Amino acid sequence: MVNLELYRVFYTVARCGSLTKAAEELYISQPAVSQAIKQLENQLGTPLFNRMHKGMELSAQGGELIFADIEKALQLLSGVEDRLSELKKSATGTLRIGASETIFQYVLADKIVEYHKLYPQVKIDLISDVSPKIIDCLKSDRCDIGFLNLPIEPDDGIRLTDSVALLDDVFVAGEAFAELKGKQLSVWDLQQYPLLLMEPHTIARAAVDHYAESLGVHFQPAVEVDSWGFMKKLVTEGMGIGCIPREYAMRRLKAGELFELNVTPAMPSRSVGLALPKNANMPFSLRAFINLFKKK
């Protein structure tokens, strides 16, 4: 019996030239891709690829002989699927999206509006919580797709598929610290000033603590806050120096309410990742939302 999924995996690996890239495109693990290729090779009784140091290359005695036919067959099937998808675009359904309040505001808002315009019949449920709680929702089938602050500990219950936004943590201050404008500061210099940091056990706090401790500094914050909005307000009012993703403070930076300190070395970038349940179904409504993040 023909297993079409094996041929889809074969075609994707051949087109990408890499198990890793194929796994990312197919939303499955690299070992699963490798296993599918081995299974198809066993069924056909011939090697389909040459395993090269630089990637995967079609074998002359196997892969090259069937590639064109497989490509044509999959294109025909894709046409059928596209026609069926057109019928589903007007279908009702629910898409459950999980993320923190800040990620919804600064990363997802425009995408959600765009998606609603394209598929107004799909009901959208927004589940707002911190990344660990969103992971729990993904694992317990209370959420279809989640957007998480990275890095996170590996979890077998979810699949991280893409990075959808980069975050650059910077130190900011208000006019109360105007003497620091344009001045080059070190991480050690920051200890002389009141610091406003996120609460412990948050990914943002872990990132800044790891950054400081890697340089031999242990920050003792004057104030710990539970939201970026509250931090921006307190920093604007002169209560201290805050550490916040630049992307979350752009409006106040542009308005001159806050300014960015020149601190060396700079903190490394982190990101927001797209996550799915480990064994997620991929209905049209979910695939269409994910595809919005693949647009260039």
Side-chain angles (χ1 to χ4, degrees), residues 8-37 48-58 67:
R8 289 186 194 276
V9 174
F10 161 79
Y11 176 70
T12 306
V13 172
R15 186 164 45 78
C16 294
S18 161
L19 294 175
T20 301
K21 291 180 180 178
E24 292 175 354
E25 185 168 321
L26 293 165
Y27 298 105
I28 60 178
S29 67
Q30 182 174 327
V33 173
S34 181
Q35 183 61 37
I37 295 299
L48 298 175
F49 291 95
N50 298 318
R51 277 71 172 172
M52 313 293 287
H53 177 69
K54 61 181 180 180
M56 302 288 282
E57 180 182 83
L58 288 171
F67 178 80

Side-chain angles (χ1 to χ4, degrees), residues 4-249:
L4 290 175
E5 287 307 312
L6 296 182
Y7 287 100
R8 289 186 194 276
V9 174
F10 161 79
Y11 176 70
T12 306
V13 172
R15 186 164 45 78
C16 294
S18 161
L19 294 175
T20 301
K21 291 180 180 178
E24 292 175 354
E25 185 168 321
L26 293 165
Y27 298 105
I28 60 178
S29 67
Q30 182 174 327
V33 173
S34 181
Q35 183 61 37
I37 295 299
K38 289 179 182 178
Q39 185 177 342
L40 185 58
E41 288 178 329
N42 289 336
Q43 286 183 12
L44 298 178
T46 185
L48 298 175
F49 291 95
N50 298 318
R51 277 71 172 172
M52 313 293 287
H53 177 69
K54 61 181 180 180
M56 302 288 282
E57 180 182 83
L58 288 171
S59 65
Q61 71 273 31
E64 288 185 1
L65 297 178
I66 68 171
F67 178 80
D69 289 337
I70 297 304
E71 183 175 42
K72 290 178 184 177
L74 291 178
Q75 286 174 349
L76 286 173
L77 287 172
S78 178
V80 172
E81 291 176 346
D82 288 343
R83 287 192 291 274
L84 290 175
S85 293
E86 289 297 323
L87 297 176
K88 294 179 182 179
K89 287 184 180 180
S90 60
T92 59
T94 300
L95 179 63
R96 301 169 298 175
I97 306 170
S100 69
E101 181 180 347
T102 311
I103 291 175
F104 273 127
Q105 181 178 355
Y106 292 100
V107 178
L108 301 181
D110 290 344
K111 297 295 185 185
I112 291 171
V113 170
E114 180 182 359
Y115 181 82
H116 178 66
K117 290 179 179 178
L118 291 171
Y119 312 106
Q121 298 303 317
V122 177
K123 182 178 182 294
I124 301 174
D125 283 350
L126 304 183
I127 302 166
S128 181
D129 216 321
V130 294
S131 290
K133 294 292 182 65
I134 297 303
I135 292 174
D136 289 340
C137 288
L138 290 168
K139 293 163 66 175
S140 59
D141 193 30
R142 290 176 287 145
C143 188
D144 299 309
I145 184 170
F147 294 84
L148 311 174
N149 283 304
L150 302 181
I152 59 171
E153 293 294 324
D155 193 311
D156 290 338
I158 65 170
R159 290 188 287 128
L160 282 171
T161 65
D162 288 292
S163 174
V164 298
L166 287 178
L167 301 179
D168 295 298
D169 291 304
V170 295
F171 292 92
V172 296
E175 283 303 311
F177 297 88
E179 74 277 5
L180 299 179
K181 286 183 179 180
K183 182 178 179 181
Q184 184 167 319
L185 301 169
S186 71
V187 178
W188 298 271
D189 293 331
L190 293 175
Q191 296 178 98
Q192 304 172 29
Y193 302 95
L195 290 177
L196 281 68
L197 301 179
M198 292 296 284
E199 290 181 334
H201 312 303
T202 60
I203 291 172
R205 177 62 178 276
V208 70
D209 283 347
H210 177 74
Y211 158 77
E213 289 166 8
S214 70
L215 297 168
V217 176
H218 182 71
F219 285 148
Q220 294 287 348
V223 181
E224 295 175 332
V225 300
D226 63 358
S227 76
W228 297 118
F230 191 35
M231 178 183 288
K232 286 184 285 188
K233 180 174 178 57
L234 295 182
V235 173
T236 301
E237 295 297 327
M239 286 194 62
I241 292 171
C243 182
I244 184 171
R246 181 188 293 115
E247 294 76 8
Y248 295 172

